[in-house]
Amino acid sequence: MSVLARVFEEHGIATVTIAMVREHAAKVKPPRALFVPFFFGFALGRPCDPEHQRQVLRSAFHLLKATEGPVLEDFPDDSSPAIMPQASQVDADAEQAKRSAADEVTALRAFYERWLDNHGGRTAVGLCGIPQRRFRGVIRFLEACATGDDAADMDERPDGVSRPQFIRYCVDDLKAFYYEARMEQHQDADEDSLHRWFWGSTAAGKLVADLAATLNQSEDPVLRGAAYGLAR
């Protein structure tokens, strides 16, 4: 986005970039950038805190007053969302290894579909192109990948999507399916408890962590790159 900002500016469109890595912004030098000291995924700061998010936006739009650049300013607030636990930071419960990810998908389906009904069909599921009612096939595909089967694939993989990217899309859809179903099932669950449930109690969480470990050990640098961030 920092590179595109310069292109827009050349065509007379003023831009502001919200930067999450200050060093990158300093190197790329977009016309106007606001560095925010938040974790990835929280570009506007604390979730469910509209006033705090408005402060971030006001600080960003304030940079439009600068007629010359590059401008790089820091957001005047060191508050950050709580760090959410990732797979390596969550202890598995005694039953996790005994569970079946395919059976979990089936058991959670009704909650996920209720989520859709209650949210006007809005969902983060959909990257891989596989309908959620066929996620048992996605599970089998990811399980094969986690064993190091480099031939594992799905006929439904969209044209133009590489196998490593498809793996990521499948994992992202699976996570979104689980989280949305869980939020519908336990509407008072906070972010920390959702993460700990997924990574510490579900077979899918274990599958994703195992898959990330397998990809990280691959001799293929593209597959190793696909592993980045999977188990977070």
Side-chain angles (χ1 to χ4, degrees), residues 102 105-106 108-114 116 123 125-126 128-139 173-174 176-178 180-181:
V105 164
T106 300
L108 289 170
R109 181 175 295 152
F111 294 107
Y112 172 74
E113 292 177 349
R114 189 189 302 169
L116 291 179
T123 178
V125 176
C128 71
I130 310 296
Q132 59 88 9
R133 283 187 168 267
R134 299 189 61 192
F135 272 14
R136 291 178 73 96
V138 171
I139 292 292
D173 274 355
L174 193 64
F177 172 88
Y178 268 72
E180 290 174 1

PDB file of all heavy atoms in Angstrom, residues 102 105-106 108-114 116 123 125-126 128-139 173-174 176-178 180-181:
ATOM      1  N   ALA A 102     -12.677 -34.123  11.557  1.00  0.00           N
ATOM      2  CA  ALA A 102     -13.821 -34.290  10.661  1.00  0.00           C
ATOM      3  C   ALA A 102     -15.123 -34.334  11.445  1.00  0.00           C
ATOM      4  O   ALA A 102     -16.130 -33.723  11.049  1.00  0.00           O
ATOM      5  CB  ALA A 102     -13.651 -35.557   9.839  1.00  0.00           C
ATOM      6  N   VAL A 105     -16.074 -30.823  12.666  1.00  0.00           N
ATOM      7  CA  VAL A 105     -16.688 -30.000  11.624  1.00  0.00           C
ATOM      8  C   VAL A 105     -18.174 -30.302  11.514  1.00  0.00           C
ATOM      9  O   VAL A 105     -19.007 -29.393  11.420  1.00  0.00           O
ATOM     10  CB  VAL A 105     -15.969 -30.228  10.277  1.00  0.00           C
ATOM     11  CG1 VAL A 105     -16.810 -29.704   9.124  1.00  0.00           C
ATOM     12  CG2 VAL A 105     -14.607 -29.555  10.274  1.00  0.00           C
ATOM     13  N   THR A 106     -18.497 -31.574  11.541  1.00  0.00           N
ATOM     14  CA  THR A 106     -19.905 -31.961  11.453  1.00  0.00           C
ATOM     15  C   THR A 106     -20.687 -31.459  12.664  1.00  0.00           C
ATOM     16  O   THR A 106     -21.796 -30.938  12.533  1.00  0.00           O
ATOM     17  CB  THR A 106     -20.031 -33.487  11.349  1.00  0.00           C
ATOM     18  OG1 THR A 106     -19.343 -33.938  10.170  1.00  0.00           O
ATOM     19  CG2 THR A 106     -21.486 -33.916  11.267  1.00  0.00           C
ATOM     20  N   LEU A 108     -20.056 -28.894  14.558  1.00  0.00           N
ATOM     21  CA  LEU A 108     -20.126 -27.434  14.628  1.00  0.00           C
ATOM     22  C   LEU A 108     -20.969 -26.821  13.512  1.00  0.00           C
ATOM     23  O   LEU A 108     -21.274 -25.628  13.551  1.00  0.00           O
ATOM     24  CB  LEU A 108     -18.715 -26.839  14.569  1.00  0.00           C
ATOM     25  CG  LEU A 108     -17.837 -27.053  15.802  1.00  0.00           C
ATOM     26  CD1 LEU A 108     -16.403 -26.632  15.505  1.00  0.00           C
ATOM     27  CD2 LEU A 108     -18.385 -26.273  16.993  1.00  0.00           C
ATOM     28  N   ARG A 109     -21.356 -27.620  12.545  1.00  0.00           N
ATOM     29  CA  ARG A 109     -22.040 -27.081  11.364  1.00  0.00           C
ATOM     30  C   ARG A 109     -23.310 -26.317  11.728  1.00  0.00           C
ATOM     31  O   ARG A 109     -23.561 -25.229  11.198  1.00  0.00           O
ATOM     32  CB  ARG A 109     -22.361 -28.226  10.409  1.00  0.00           C
ATOM     33  CG  ARG A 109     -23.058 -27.787   9.124  1.00  0.00           C
ATOM     34  CD  ARG A 109     -23.218 -28.962   8.197  1.00  0.00           C
ATOM     35  NE  ARG A 109     -21.899 -29.449   7.769  1.00  0.00           N
ATOM     36  CZ  ARG A 109     -21.655 -30.716   7.429  1.00  0.00           C
ATOM     37  NH1 ARG A 109     -22.613 -31.624   7.520  1.00  0.00           N
ATOM     38  NH2 ARG A 109     -20.457 -31.068   7.022  1.00  0.00           N
ATOM     39  N   ALA A 110     -24.108 -26.864  12.612  1.00  0.00           N
ATOM     40  CA  ALA A 110     -25.368 -26.199  12.961  1.00  0.00           C
ATOM     41  C   ALA A 110     -25.117 -24.840  13.605  1.00  0.00           C
ATOM     42  O   ALA A 110     -25.852 -23.872  13.338  1.00  0.00           O
ATOM     43  CB  ALA A 110     -26.181 -27.083  13.902  1.00  0.00           C
ATOM     44  N   PHE A 111     -24.077 -24.752  14.423  1.00  0.00           N
ATOM     45  CA  PHE A 111     -23.762 -23.463  15.062  1.00  0.00           C
ATOM     46  C   PHE A 111     -23.262 -22.464  14.019  1.00  0.00           C
ATOM     47  O   PHE A 111     -23.600 -21.280  14.073  1.00  0.00           O
ATOM     48  CB  PHE A 111     -22.718 -23.654  16.154  1.00  0.00           C
ATOM     49  CG  PHE A 111     -23.219 -24.466  17.317  1.00  0.00           C
ATOM     50  CD1 PHE A 111     -22.789 -25.772  17.509  1.00  0.00           C
ATOM     51  CD2 PHE A 111     -24.124 -23.932  18.220  1.00  0.00           C
ATOM     52  CE1 PHE A 111     -23.257 -26.525  18.575  1.00  0.00           C
ATOM     53  CE2 PHE A 111     -24.591 -24.671  19.293  1.00  0.00           C
ATOM     54  CZ  PHE A 111     -24.157 -25.968  19.465  1.00  0.00           C
ATOM     55  N   TYR A 112     -22.445 -22.942  13.062  1.00  0.00           N
ATOM     56  CA  TYR A 112     -21.953 -22.055  12.022  1.00  0.00           C
ATOM     57  C   TYR A 112     -23.112 -21.535  11.170  1.00  0.00           C
ATOM     58  O   TYR A 112     -23.168 -20.334  10.852  1.00  0.00           O
ATOM     59  CB  TYR A 112     -20.938 -22.768  11.131  1.00  0.00           C
ATOM     60  CG  TYR A 112     -20.537 -21.951   9.934  1.00  0.00           C
ATOM     61  CD1 TYR A 112     -19.686 -20.858  10.069  1.00  0.00           C
ATOM     62  CD2 TYR A 112     -21.046 -22.242   8.671  1.00  0.00           C
ATOM     63  CE1 TYR A 112     -19.346 -20.082   8.978  1.00  0.00           C
ATOM     64  CE2 TYR A 112     -20.703 -21.472   7.573  1.00  0.00           C
ATOM     65  CZ  TYR A 112     -19.855 -20.395   7.727  1.00  0.00           C
ATOM     66  OH  TYR A 112     -19.524 -19.618   6.643  1.00  0.00           O
ATOM     67  N   GLU A 113     -24.032 -22.408  10.817  1.00  0.00           N
ATOM     68  CA  GLU A 113     -25.154 -21.975   9.986  1.00  0.00           C
ATOM     69  C   GLU A 113     -26.084 -21.038  10.754  1.00  0.00           C
ATOM     70  O   GLU A 113     -26.675 -20.128  10.168  1.00  0.00           O
ATOM     71  CB  GLU A 113     -25.897 -23.202   9.458  1.00  0.00           C
ATOM     72  CG  GLU A 113     -25.033 -23.981   8.460  1.00  0.00           C
ATOM     73  CD  GLU A 113     -25.676 -25.249   7.955  1.00  0.00           C
ATOM     74  OE1 GLU A 113     -26.722 -25.674   8.522  1.00  0.00           O
ATOM     75  OE2 GLU A 113     -25.140 -25.838   6.989  1.00  0.00           O
ATOM     76  N   ARG A 114     -26.166 -21.221  12.055  1.00  0.00           N
ATOM     77  CA  ARG A 114     -26.931 -20.276  12.874  1.00  0.00           C
ATOM     78  C   ARG A 114     -26.218 -18.923  12.902  1.00  0.00           C
ATOM     79  O   ARG A 114     -26.862 -17.868  12.884  1.00  0.00           O
ATOM     80  CB  ARG A 114     -27.098 -20.812  14.292  1.00  0.00           C
ATOM     81  CG  ARG A 114     -28.078 -19.995  15.147  1.00  0.00           C
ATOM     82  CD  ARG A 114     -28.043 -20.444  16.594  1.00  0.00           C
ATOM     83  NE  ARG A 114     -28.359 -21.864  16.729  1.00  0.00           N
ATOM     84  CZ  ARG A 114     -28.197 -22.544  17.855  1.00  0.00           C
ATOM     85  NH1 ARG A 114     -27.707 -21.938  18.936  1.00  0.00           N
ATOM     86  NH2 ARG A 114     -28.500 -23.815  17.914  1.00  0.00           N
ATOM     87  N   LEU A 116     -24.500 -17.657  10.461  1.00  0.00           N
ATOM     88  CA  LEU A 116     -24.841 -17.028   9.190  1.00  0.00           C
ATOM     89  C   LEU A 116     -26.230 -16.396   9.244  1.00  0.00           C
ATOM     90  O   LEU A 116     -26.433 -15.261   8.801  1.00  0.00           O
ATOM     91  CB  LEU A 116     -24.791 -18.063   8.063  1.00  0.00           C
ATOM     92  CG  LEU A 116     -23.422 -18.615   7.661  1.00  0.00           C
ATOM     93  CD1 LEU A 116     -23.586 -19.633   6.545  1.00  0.00           C
ATOM     94  CD2 LEU A 116     -22.491 -17.497   7.212  1.00  0.00           C
ATOM     95  N   THR A 123     -19.631 -13.717   6.738  1.00  0.00           N
ATOM     96  CA  THR A 123     -18.711 -14.723   7.251  1.00  0.00           C
ATOM     97  C   THR A 123     -17.323 -14.480   6.684  1.00  0.00           C
ATOM     98  O   THR A 123     -17.182 -13.883   5.608  1.00  0.00           O
ATOM     99  CB  THR A 123     -19.180 -16.147   6.865  1.00  0.00           C
ATOM    100  OG1 THR A 123     -18.232 -17.109   7.351  1.00  0.00           O
ATOM    101  CG2 THR A 123     -19.309 -16.295   5.352  1.00  0.00           C
ATOM    102  N   VAL A 125     -15.487 -17.074   6.054  1.00  0.00           N
ATOM    103  CA  VAL A 125     -15.243 -18.312   5.331  1.00  0.00           C
ATOM    104  C   VAL A 125     -15.476 -18.075   3.837  1.00  0.00           C
ATOM    105  O   VAL A 125     -16.444 -17.406   3.460  1.00  0.00           O
ATOM    106  CB  VAL A 125     -16.172 -19.429   5.835  1.00  0.00           C
ATOM    107  CG1 VAL A 125     -15.998 -20.707   5.003  1.00  0.00           C
ATOM    108  CG2 VAL A 125     -15.915 -19.716   7.313  1.00  0.00           C
ATOM    109  N   GLY A 126     -14.604 -18.635   3.001  1.00  0.00           N
ATOM    110  CA  GLY A 126     -14.843 -18.515   1.567  1.00  0.00           C
ATOM    111  C   GLY A 126     -13.596 -18.393   0.713  1.00  0.00           C
ATOM    112  O   GLY A 126     -13.691 -18.375  -0.515  1.00  0.00           O
ATOM    113  N   CYS A 128     -11.065 -20.544   0.152  1.00  0.00           N
ATOM    114  CA  CYS A 128     -10.634 -21.727  -0.600  1.00  0.00           C
ATOM    115  C   CYS A 128     -11.632 -22.137  -1.679  1.00  0.00           C
ATOM    116  O   CYS A 128     -11.297 -22.911  -2.575  1.00  0.00           O
ATOM    117  CB  CYS A 128     -10.350 -22.901   0.332  1.00  0.00           C
ATOM    118  SG  CYS A 128     -11.823 -23.649   1.089  1.00  0.00           S
ATOM    119  N   GLY A 129     -12.857 -21.636  -1.596  1.00  0.00           N
ATOM    120  CA  GLY A 129     -13.859 -21.970  -2.598  1.00  0.00           C
ATOM    121  C   GLY A 129     -14.591 -23.273  -2.349  1.00  0.00           C
ATOM    122  O   GLY A 129     -15.450 -23.666  -3.155  1.00  0.00           O
ATOM    123  N   ILE A 130     -14.297 -23.942  -1.245  1.00  0.00           N
ATOM    124  CA  ILE A 130     -14.968 -25.202  -0.915  1.00  0.00           C
ATOM    125  C   ILE A 130     -16.145 -24.902   0.005  1.00  0.00           C
ATOM    126  O   ILE A 130     -15.949 -24.275   1.058  1.00  0.00           O
ATOM    127  CB  ILE A 130     -14.014 -26.195  -0.212  1.00  0.00           C
ATOM    128  CG1 ILE A 130     -12.705 -26.334  -0.997  1.00  0.00           C
ATOM    129  CG2 ILE A 130     -14.689 -27.545  -0.019  1.00  0.00           C
ATOM    130  CD1 ILE A 130     -12.858 -26.917  -2.365  1.00  0.00           C
ATOM    131  N   PRO A 131     -17.377 -25.313  -0.327  1.00  0.00           N
ATOM    132  CA  PRO A 131     -18.517 -25.073   0.563  1.00  0.00           C
ATOM    133  C   PRO A 131     -18.281 -25.717   1.927  1.00  0.00           C
ATOM    134  O   PRO A 131     -17.693 -26.803   2.026  1.00  0.00           O
ATOM    135  CB  PRO A 131     -19.691 -25.738  -0.169  1.00  0.00           C
ATOM    136  CG  PRO A 131     -19.262 -25.829  -1.596  1.00  0.00           C
ATOM    137  CD  PRO A 131     -17.776 -26.022  -1.563  1.00  0.00           C
ATOM    138  N   GLN A 132     -18.733 -25.046   2.982  1.00  0.00           N
ATOM    139  CA  GLN A 132     -18.452 -25.550   4.332  1.00  0.00           C
ATOM    140  C   GLN A 132     -19.025 -26.944   4.569  1.00  0.00           C
ATOM    141  O   GLN A 132     -18.503 -27.689   5.400  1.00  0.00           O
ATOM    142  CB  GLN A 132     -18.941 -24.547   5.388  1.00  0.00           C
ATOM    143  CG  GLN A 132     -20.423 -24.218   5.360  1.00  0.00           C
ATOM    144  CD  GLN A 132     -21.272 -25.163   6.187  1.00  0.00           C
ATOM    145  OE1 GLN A 132     -20.741 -25.982   6.928  1.00  0.00           O
ATOM    146  NE2 GLN A 132     -22.583 -25.042   6.059  1.00  0.00           N
ATOM    147  N   ARG A 133     -20.065 -27.319   3.842  1.00  0.00           N
ATOM    148  CA  ARG A 133     -20.623 -28.660   4.020  1.00  0.00           C
ATOM    149  C   ARG A 133     -19.729 -29.745   3.423  1.00  0.00           C
ATOM    150  O   ARG A 133     -20.017 -30.933   3.565  1.00  0.00           O
ATOM    151  CB  ARG A 133     -22.030 -28.736   3.432  1.00  0.00           C
ATOM    152  CG  ARG A 133     -23.064 -28.074   4.326  1.00  0.00           C
ATOM    153  CD  ARG A 133     -24.486 -28.289   3.841  1.00  0.00           C
ATOM    154  NE  ARG A 133     -25.435 -27.890   4.878  1.00  0.00           N
ATOM    155  CZ  ARG A 133     -25.953 -28.709   5.766  1.00  0.00           C
ATOM    156  NH1 ARG A 133     -25.628 -29.991   5.748  1.00  0.00           N
ATOM    157  NH2 ARG A 133     -26.802 -28.278   6.678  1.00  0.00           N
ATOM    158  N   ARG A 134     -18.640 -29.319   2.791  1.00  0.00           N
ATOM    159  CA  ARG A 134     -17.668 -30.281   2.275  1.00  0.00           C
ATOM    160  C   ARG A 134     -16.329 -30.133   2.976  1.00  0.00           C
ATOM    161  O   ARG A 134     -15.294 -30.541   2.453  1.00  0.00           O
ATOM    162  CB  ARG A 134     -17.515 -30.093   0.763  1.00  0.00           C
ATOM    163  CG  ARG A 134     -18.821 -30.322  -0.003  1.00  0.00           C
ATOM    164  CD  ARG A 134     -18.590 -30.346  -1.493  1.00  0.00           C
ATOM    165  NE  ARG A 134     -17.691 -31.431  -1.862  1.00  0.00           N
ATOM    166  CZ  ARG A 134     -17.134 -31.558  -3.066  1.00  0.00           C
ATOM    167  NH1 ARG A 134     -17.377 -30.654  -3.986  1.00  0.00           N
ATOM    168  NH2 ARG A 134     -16.332 -32.555  -3.330  1.00  0.00           N
ATOM    169  N   PHE A 135     -16.356 -29.565   4.165  1.00  0.00           N
ATOM    170  CA  PHE A 135     -15.113 -29.349   4.897  1.00  0.00           C
ATOM    171  C   PHE A 135     -14.487 -30.643   5.416  1.00  0.00           C
ATOM    172  O   PHE A 135     -13.306 -30.642   5.768  1.00  0.00           O
ATOM    173  CB  PHE A 135     -15.328 -28.366   6.046  1.00  0.00           C
ATOM    174  CG  PHE A 135     -15.155 -26.918   5.641  1.00  0.00           C
ATOM    175  CD1 PHE A 135     -15.109 -26.552   4.305  1.00  0.00           C
ATOM    176  CD2 PHE A 135     -15.043 -25.919   6.593  1.00  0.00           C
ATOM    177  CE1 PHE A 135     -14.956 -25.225   3.921  1.00  0.00           C
ATOM    178  CE2 PHE A 135     -14.888 -24.588   6.229  1.00  0.00           C
ATOM    179  CZ  PHE A 135     -14.842 -24.246   4.895  1.00  0.00           C
ATOM    180  N   ARG A 136     -15.243 -31.733   5.460  1.00  0.00           N
ATOM    181  CA  ARG A 136     -14.603 -32.999   5.834  1.00  0.00           C
ATOM    182  C   ARG A 136     -13.535 -33.356   4.801  1.00  0.00           C
ATOM    183  O   ARG A 136     -12.485 -33.906   5.141  1.00  0.00           O
ATOM    184  CB  ARG A 136     -15.639 -34.112   5.964  1.00  0.00           C
ATOM    185  CG  ARG A 136     -16.584 -33.942   7.154  1.00  0.00           C
ATOM    186  CD  ARG A 136     -17.614 -35.071   7.192  1.00  0.00           C
ATOM    187  NE  ARG A 136     -17.022 -36.332   7.611  1.00  0.00           N
ATOM    188  CZ  ARG A 136     -17.043 -36.805   8.860  1.00  0.00           C
ATOM    189  NH1 ARG A 136     -17.629 -36.101   9.825  1.00  0.00           N
ATOM    190  NH2 ARG A 136     -16.490 -37.961   9.145  1.00  0.00           N
ATOM    191  N   GLY A 137     -13.793 -33.021   3.524  1.00  0.00           N
ATOM    192  CA  GLY A 137     -12.782 -33.243   2.493  1.00  0.00           C
ATOM    193  C   GLY A 137     -11.579 -32.343   2.681  1.00  0.00           C
ATOM    194  O   GLY A 137     -10.433 -32.750   2.438  1.00  0.00           O
ATOM    195  N   VAL A 138     -11.807 -31.104   3.121  1.00  0.00           N
ATOM    196  CA  VAL A 138     -10.705 -30.189   3.423  1.00  0.00           C
ATOM    197  C   VAL A 138      -9.854 -30.750   4.554  1.00  0.00           C
ATOM    198  O   VAL A 138      -8.618 -30.701   4.506  1.00  0.00           O
ATOM    199  CB  VAL A 138     -11.250 -28.793   3.784  1.00  0.00           C
ATOM    200  CG1 VAL A 138     -10.140 -27.899   4.322  1.00  0.00           C
ATOM    201  CG2 VAL A 138     -11.905 -28.142   2.564  1.00  0.00           C
ATOM    202  N   ILE A 139     -10.520 -31.317   5.558  1.00  0.00           N
ATOM    203  CA  ILE A 139      -9.791 -31.931   6.676  1.00  0.00           C
ATOM    204  C   ILE A 139      -8.900 -33.058   6.168  1.00  0.00           C
ATOM    205  O   ILE A 139      -7.715 -33.147   6.530  1.00  0.00           O
ATOM    206  CB  ILE A 139     -10.778 -32.458   7.736  1.00  0.00           C
ATOM    207  CG1 ILE A 139     -11.498 -31.310   8.440  1.00  0.00           C
ATOM    208  CG2 ILE A 139     -10.055 -33.343   8.745  1.00  0.00           C
ATOM    209  CD1 ILE A 139     -10.621 -30.467   9.318  1.00  0.00           C
ATOM    210  N   ASP A 173      -9.963 -20.726   6.141  1.00  0.00           N
ATOM    211  CA  ASP A 173     -11.398 -21.005   6.147  1.00  0.00           C
ATOM    212  C   ASP A 173     -11.780 -21.907   7.320  1.00  0.00           C
ATOM    213  O   ASP A 173     -12.819 -21.714   7.956  1.00  0.00           O
ATOM    214  CB  ASP A 173     -11.815 -21.670   4.837  1.00  0.00           C
ATOM    215  CG  ASP A 173     -12.135 -20.662   3.751  1.00  0.00           C
ATOM    216  OD1 ASP A 173     -12.124 -19.451   4.039  1.00  0.00           O
ATOM    217  OD2 ASP A 173     -12.404 -21.078   2.610  1.00  0.00           O
ATOM    218  N   LEU A 174     -10.940 -22.891   7.595  1.00  0.00           N
ATOM    219  CA  LEU A 174     -11.230 -23.791   8.705  1.00  0.00           C
ATOM    220  C   LEU A 174     -11.229 -23.041  10.031  1.00  0.00           C
ATOM    221  O   LEU A 174     -12.121 -23.219  10.869  1.00  0.00           O
ATOM    222  CB  LEU A 174     -10.198 -24.920   8.728  1.00  0.00           C
ATOM    223  CG  LEU A 174     -10.517 -26.121   9.622  1.00  0.00           C
ATOM    224  CD1 LEU A 174     -11.756 -26.843   9.122  1.00  0.00           C
ATOM    225  CD2 LEU A 174      -9.327 -27.081   9.663  1.00  0.00           C
ATOM    226  N   ALA A 176     -11.783 -19.820  10.485  1.00  0.00           N
ATOM    227  CA  ALA A 176     -12.944 -18.930  10.522  1.00  0.00           C
ATOM    228  C   ALA A 176     -14.216 -19.708  10.831  1.00  0.00           C
ATOM    229  O   ALA A 176     -15.060 -19.249  11.612  1.00  0.00           O
ATOM    230  CB  ALA A 176     -13.076 -18.193   9.192  1.00  0.00           C
ATOM    231  N   PHE A 177     -14.355 -20.870  10.238  1.00  0.00           N
ATOM    232  CA  PHE A 177     -15.517 -21.724  10.495  1.00  0.00           C
ATOM    233  C   PHE A 177     -15.604 -22.074  11.974  1.00  0.00           C
ATOM    234  O   PHE A 177     -16.667 -21.945  12.601  1.00  0.00           O
ATOM    235  CB  PHE A 177     -15.410 -22.990   9.648  1.00  0.00           C
ATOM    236  CG  PHE A 177     -16.443 -24.035   9.950  1.00  0.00           C
ATOM    237  CD1 PHE A 177     -17.674 -24.025   9.313  1.00  0.00           C
ATOM    238  CD2 PHE A 177     -16.183 -25.049  10.867  1.00  0.00           C
ATOM    239  CE1 PHE A 177     -18.630 -24.993   9.584  1.00  0.00           C
ATOM    240  CE2 PHE A 177     -17.126 -26.019  11.154  1.00  0.00           C
ATOM    241  CZ  PHE A 177     -18.356 -25.988  10.509  1.00  0.00           C
ATOM    242  N   TYR A 178     -14.501 -22.509  12.556  1.00  0.00           N
ATOM    243  CA  TYR A 178     -14.481 -22.900  13.968  1.00  0.00           C
ATOM    244  C   TYR A 178     -14.792 -21.706  14.869  1.00  0.00           C
ATOM    245  O   TYR A 178     -15.597 -21.802  15.796  1.00  0.00           O
ATOM    246  CB  TYR A 178     -13.114 -23.479  14.334  1.00  0.00           C
ATOM    247  CG  TYR A 178     -13.024 -24.982  14.194  1.00  0.00           C
ATOM    248  CD1 TYR A 178     -13.001 -25.578  12.937  1.00  0.00           C
ATOM    249  CD2 TYR A 178     -12.965 -25.814  15.310  1.00  0.00           C
ATOM    250  CE1 TYR A 178     -12.914 -26.956  12.795  1.00  0.00           C
ATOM    251  CE2 TYR A 178     -12.869 -27.194  15.180  1.00  0.00           C
ATOM    252  CZ  TYR A 178     -12.848 -27.763  13.925  1.00  0.00           C
ATOM    253  OH  TYR A 178     -12.773 -29.119  13.796  1.00  0.00           O
ATOM    254  N   GLU A 180     -16.302 -18.804  14.229  1.00  0.00           N
ATOM    255  CA  GLU A 180     -17.659 -18.273  14.115  1.00  0.00           C
ATOM    256  C   GLU A 180     -18.673 -19.219  14.733  1.00  0.00           C
ATOM    257  O   GLU A 180     -19.624 -18.781  15.397  1.00  0.00           O
ATOM    258  CB  GLU A 180     -17.978 -17.993  12.646  1.00  0.00           C
ATOM    259  CG  GLU A 180     -17.184 -16.815  12.111  1.00  0.00           C
ATOM    260  CD  GLU A 180     -17.347 -16.563  10.634  1.00  0.00           C
ATOM    261  OE1 GLU A 180     -18.107 -17.311   9.981  1.00  0.00           O
ATOM    262  OE2 GLU A 180     -16.740 -15.604  10.132  1.00  0.00           O
ATOM    263  N   ALA A 181     -18.461 -20.524  14.541  1.00  0.00           N
ATOM    264  CA  ALA A 181     -19.346 -21.492  15.177  1.00  0.00           C
ATOM    265  C   ALA A 181     -19.248 -21.404  16.697  1.00  0.00           C
ATOM    266  O   ALA A 181     -20.262 -21.447  17.408  1.00  0.00           O
ATOM    267  CB  ALA A 181     -18.999 -22.909  14.710  1.00  0.00           C
TER     268      ALA A 181
END
